[in-house]
Amino acid sequence: MRVINPDHRLIAHKLTYLRDERTDSPTFRRLAEELMTLLAYEATREVRVEPFEIRTPVAPTTGIKLSNPKPLVVPILRAGLGMLEGMVRLLPSAEVGFLGMQRDEETLEAVTYANRLPDDLSGRQVYLLDPMLATGGSMADAVRYLAERGADDITCVCLLAAPEGISALEDSVAALDIPVTLVTGSIDERLNEVGYIVPGLGDAGDRLYGVVQ
Ligand code: PRP
Ligand code: URA
């Protein structure tokens, strides 16, 4: 698995405000979107394209356009929704599918509760969005599921990752015969005893959308 952690001061600056416990939900949502757009620039570096003939006012030339089938963007609900706008702003012709997953806070195992995706993902390049890679369980399950449906190139994008989650995802995708890339805004120090990223930013879903019981 390729891991990309872009070294960019704007990313670090925006992440600092995102982490700050004083940041309110509207500001948190705006920052998550902006960070996603910055990370999308890196994540889409190898988006599939094909040559395309055009004429400028001066001369004919060959450019490129996105290949068909178009890339599929899949936010993992709930917190991944906070990254969707930032991604499709850069990739407006992408299709969007949804996966709903919730981590059981006792066992730290992910449970899938919703799924709205094309049945056949053969030949699709997929961008999987979730702000937090903690134990890596949710992302690993999502990658496996998309690969089973035929996705042949998966890029996971998160805002923060714990080293433990990166190792777990790496181990899990090693068995797959497709390229998997992880783009993360930060590699934090560690997980704490209840599976939260340290220093992290707390519960991403709650900070985006408020606490649900
Ligand atoms: C958070 C986060 C990831 C998951 C990460 O979601 O958005 O999906 O936890 O943890 P993991 O790497 O240990 O699996 P959560 O389950 O809290 O659901 P939510 O997005 O609905 O708040
Ligand atoms: N999920 C979150 O929202 N935050 C963490 O730190 C870990 C999992």
Side-chain angles (χ1 to χ4, degrees), residues 79 103 105 130-135 160 191-192 194-206:
R103 189 172 78 150
E105 293 299 337
D130 193 327
M132 312 301 278
L133 186 80
T135 65
L160 305 185
L191 285 185
N192 69 11
V194 288
Y196 271 72
I197 299 176
V198 179
L201 51 72
D203 186 304
D206 289 356

Side-chain angles (χ1 to χ4, degrees), residues 121-134:
L121 296 179
S122 305
R124 295 299 285 268
Q125 200 171 20
V126 179
Y127 294 91
L128 201 44
L129 315 183
D130 193 327
M132 312 301 278
L133 186 80

Side-chain angles (χ1 to χ4, degrees), residues 17-181:
Y17 285 92
L18 197 79
R19 292 178 190 278
D20 191 330
E21 63 182 4
R22 293 168 298 184
T23 299
D24 61 14
S25 284
T27 311
F28 192 96
R29 286 197 289 269
R30 180 175 56 74
L31 286 167
E33 244 182 75
E34 290 174 1
L35 274 161
M36 180 62 234
T37 301
L38 292 172
L39 294 176
Y41 183 75
E42 282 299 330
T44 56
R45 200 175 273 282
E46 286 167 28
V47 67
R48 290 179 184 151
V49 293
E50 58 193 45
F52 182 48
E53 302 302 321
I54 57 158
R55 284 193 68 89
T56 75
V58 180
T61 187
T62 305
I64 55 170
K65 64 179 181 181
L66 294 186
S67 299
N68 281 313
K70 296 284 191 277
L72 181 73
V73 175
V74 180
I76 300 179
L77 310 180
R78 175 178 63 136
L81 260 191
M83 298 165 77
L84 180 60
E85 265 314 303
M87 181 70 174
V88 295
R89 186 176 303 135
L90 216 65
L91 213 52
S93 58
E95 288 174 15
V96 180
F98 296 91
L99 262 183
M101 303 183 91
Q102 188 172 10
R103 189 172 78 150
D104 180 318
E105 293 299 337
E106 297 290 316
T107 63
L108 302 183
E109 299 274 319
V111 177
T112 303
Y113 61 83
N115 157 7
R116 194 82 170 94
L117 293 169
D119 282 336
D120 183 11
L121 296 179
S122 305
R124 295 299 285 268
Q125 200 171 20
V126 179
Y127 294 91
L128 201 44
L129 315 183
D130 193 327
M132 312 301 278
L133 186 80
T135 65
S138 307
M139 197 68 99
D141 285 0
V143 168
R144 259 197 313 275
Y145 185 71
L146 294 167
E148 276 166 17
R149 286 203 173 194
D152 67 354
D153 183 318
I154 300 177
T155 300
C156 308
V157 188
C158 58
L159 302 182
L160 305 185
E164 296 89 332
I166 296 176
S167 299
L169 185 62
E170 213 149 31
D171 291 349
S172 164
V173 305
L176 304 175
D177 56 359
I178 59 166
V180 177
T181 303

